[in-house]
Amino acid sequence: MLELFLNFGLPFLLLLVAYFVGTMLEKGHFRSIRKREGEYAKFPVVTFDTMPDDWSASSGTLVSGSVVISLDYFKRVIAGLRAIVGGRIKTYEPLLDRARREAMLRMIEDARRDGYDAIFNVRLETSRLANSRGDGKGTAGVEMLAFGTAVKFASRFARTQ
Amino acid sequence: MKFIPRQPREGINVSDTHPLVEAGTLVAGLTVIFVAIALLLIFLVEIALYFIPVEKEVALFEDWLPEDLVTVSPADERLHQTQLLVDRLAFHWADAPYTFRVEIDDSSVANAMALPGGLIVVTEGLLDLVESENELAFVLGHELGHFRNRDHLRALGRGIVLSLFFATTMGKDVSNISVNVTDLALRGFSRQQESSADEFGLALVYTHYGHVDQAWRLFERWDETDGTVLNVVSYTSTHPDAGDRVDKLKDQALREGWPVEGSITGLKW
């Protein structure tokens, strides 16, 4: 009976806890992301690798925002099952969406803190953090890095154009 | 160029399937696939049985013992007597293709098993439980019935094929899969197989003693005490309900006109 619990009950309980806690954290994070995206919506962020012609910058610097996220146990188990048959790993999608948007927001926050007006040449990079257990097989988490060139406009006029 | 502020659109990069729906679909779908493959493997074992003649089986498993079997000393009198009883019973199975070997496992759980190559394993628990040779004879006759129907090989085949399958899917190393008594004891024969083995066993007992007195007394005792006699749970769980079994055996004796009373042979240890 105890063995049965240890083999099936415990992982199932863990799965349940991981699901509820994970869902709660994810919802909270999405709320925070949407709120901040609303606040920064008017802050220009573009992917051109050269500064748009009508921008006239007085100064510029590299800004970046990075976030490291981990998979919860529930998502990992479901993704493991998905890996058997293949297809979209739907449980990972919100996770990576959160990471991309959070990294962008952090980058914008980095720029705004120093009074920059816009960011161009924005790039996203990602890297996998290996698990320390199991010879580095398996994934402990993923890092998402957003970076770009932040500029201060020479005059407020330039920005409205 | 005018910069148009816009917030990221929801539902582009994230599918709106609920995670629990995704989980349910995957679990249900994979279960169906797994069960289908397991059934297919069992079916393949059935087919393979036609292509493995008894001689080949005997040659393959002649000296084989399950790895976790804890045998008693070869000088044990119970071993000697049980082997003798098996030989005498098998004598009445005219064209028995096996040379039967008996081993006693030191488990306290009452059980008896028919294993490939004509190996019969009885547990000390069972030997402690039986009160006469007639009782033991029926259990042994029942195991001989499994040999005749080749149930033992079917069970072993299923056991090996299924444990290989599960080990592969669970990502375990398949090179050190071993066949253990515990696995084999948990294999289930169907009621049909058990009944068929019962019939053969009873016929052997009748041919040997000239009556079937006490053949099913062990099961009657189990039924009366309702499993309180030692740890019979594991034995009865893979076998039909003791009451049903006794009824079927009584029917058979009545049908064949076999005397249900006769002289009882005591145990010789």
Side-chain angles (χ1 to χ4, degrees):
Chain A
M1 200 60 205
L2 180 75
E3 203 183 344
L4 205 69
F5 174 75
L6 287 178
N7 280 334
F8 297 100
L10 209 59
F12 186 72
L13 207 69
L14 208 61
L15 213 60
L16 223 62
V17 170
Y19 172 72
F20 283 112
V21 174
T23 307
M24 206 175 69
L25 290 178
E26 187 168 276
K27 278 191 176 151
H29 191 200
F30 268 124
R31 265 197 302 278
S32 143
I33 286 174
R34 286 192 199 104
K35 182 169 157 279
R36 282 144 70 212
E37 279 174 352
E39 284 169 24
Y40 309 149
K42 294 216 162 61
F43 189 88
V45 176
V46 294
T47 53
F48 305 140
D49 58 359
T50 53
M51 200 166 62
D53 290 341
D54 51 355
W55 289 12
S56 134
S58 65
S59 66
T61 188
L62 173 74
V63 284
S64 67
S66 132
V67 61
V68 178
I69 49 162
S70 178
L71 330 165
D72 70 45
Y73 182 60
F74 175 79
K75 287 187 183 348
R76 195 175 321 192
V77 168
I78 299 306
L81 293 180
R82 176 50 82 186
I84 298 174
V85 286
R88 287 172 74 179
I89 308 179
K90 292 174 189 166
T91 50
Y92 279 6
E93 288 173 350
L95 210 70
L96 289 166
D97 194 46
R98 271 161 72 188
R100 276 189 300 271
R101 289 160 77 173
E102 179 67 37
M104 291 280 281
L105 286 169
R106 289 186 181 181
M107 178 188 69
I108 295 171
E109 279 158 8
D110 184 22
R112 282 167 67 99
R113 200 160 293 167
D114 291 337
Y116 287 97
D117 297 308
I119 307 173
F120 71 96
N121 196 19
V122 169
R123 296 291 179 263
L124 283 168
E125 293 276 349
T126 182
S127 62
R128 188 179 75 95
L129 298 179
N131 201 332
S132 56
R133 287 180 305 152
D135 306 329
K137 290 177 204 160
T139 301
V142 179
E143 188 210 16
M144 190 69 72
L145 169 71
F147 59 93
T149 309
V151 287
K152 275 181 189 161
F153 290 134
S155 65
R156 302 309 300 169
F157 170 73
R159 186 177 172 180
T160 56
Q161 275 197 327
Chain B
M1 192 173 72
K2 194 172 186 308
F3 175 77
I4 301 164
R6 183 175 76 85
Q7 273 181 260
R9 192 169 281 148
E10 302 284 341
I12 296 289
N13 295 324
V14 179
S15 40
D16 45 12
T17 311
H18 194 280
L20 287 183
V21 174
E22 165 85 350
T25 317
L26 282 170
V27 170
L30 287 171
T31 308
V32 169
I33 294 173
F34 272 48
V35 169
I37 295 177
L39 287 177
L40 182 74
L41 288 174
I42 288 174
F43 178 67
L44 289 178
V45 168
E46 293 291 320
I47 292 175
L49 278 183
Y50 283 102
F51 294 98
I52 304 173
V54 178
E55 298 77 45
K56 191 156 261 175
E57 177 203 336
V58 171
L60 220 56
F61 288 100
E62 214 166 15
D63 304 313
W64 176 79
L65 282 180
E67 293 181 25
D68 62 342
L69 191 75
V70 185
T71 53
V72 295
S73 141
D76 197 305
E77 187 56 23
R78 292 172 305 174
L79 183 65
H80 180 61
Q81 290 299 333
T82 314
Q83 177 75 59
L84 217 59
L85 185 55
V86 166
D87 290 344
R88 275 185 275 140
L89 286 170
F91 177 74
H92 302 291
W93 174 7
D95 47 358
Y98 298 96
T99 315
F100 295 103
R101 288 183 294 152
V102 174
E103 289 291 349
I104 298 177
D105 185 44
D106 79 340
S107 160
S108 62
V109 180
N111 205 351
M113 280 169 284
L115 299 175
L119 176 65
I120 297 177
V121 172
V122 292
T123 62
E124 290 203 298
L126 179 79
L127 295 179
D128 291 342
L129 202 62
V130 291
E131 288 172 1
S132 69
E133 197 188 272
N134 302 62
E135 285 181 10
L136 183 60
F138 175 69
V139 174
L140 296 173
H142 169 92
E143 298 308 323
L144 292 178
H146 279 314
F147 282 113
R148 201 190 61 142
N149 301 334
R150 302 194 87 193
D151 294 335
H152 62 296
L153 212 59
R154 189 169 284 128
L156 183 81
R158 280 181 195 176
I160 291 176
V161 168
L162 291 183
S163 44
L164 274 177
F165 172 56
F166 286 122
T168 318
T169 49
M170 304 292 169
K172 280 185 197 153
D173 185 7
V174 289
S175 59
N176 52 15
I177 291 276
S178 59
V179 178
N180 291 331
V181 165
T182 39
D183 301 336
L184 291 167
L186 291 174
R187 78 225 148 124
F189 288 140
S190 69
R191 268 162 190 262
Q192 171 64 41
Q193 288 173 316
E194 292 298 344
S195 298
S196 165
D198 269 0
E199 272 179 34
F200 186 73
L202 196 66
L204 281 186
V205 168
Y206 167 72
T207 323
H208 185 59
Y209 294 105
H211 65 83
V212 292
D213 201 2
Q214 290 209 354
W216 50 74
R217 193 161 153 254
L218 189 65
F219 304 111
E220 276 177 334
R221 266 188 288 139
W222 276 353
D223 205 27
E224 278 164 23
T225 49
D226 202 20
T228 45
V229 181
L230 295 181
N231 309 312
V232 293
V233 184
S234 78
Y235 185 78
T236 49
S237 66
T238 59
H239 287 68
D241 185 46
D244 282 1
R245 238 177 138 167
V246 171
D247 289 344
K248 269 193 183 157
L249 291 170
K250 279 181 181 165
D251 283 351
Q252 189 190 353
L254 197 69
R255 210 168 49 237
E256 307 278 356
W258 294 337
V260 291
E261 274 175 28
S263 60
I264 301 304
T265 316
L267 293 166
K268 294 187 186 70
W269 63 75

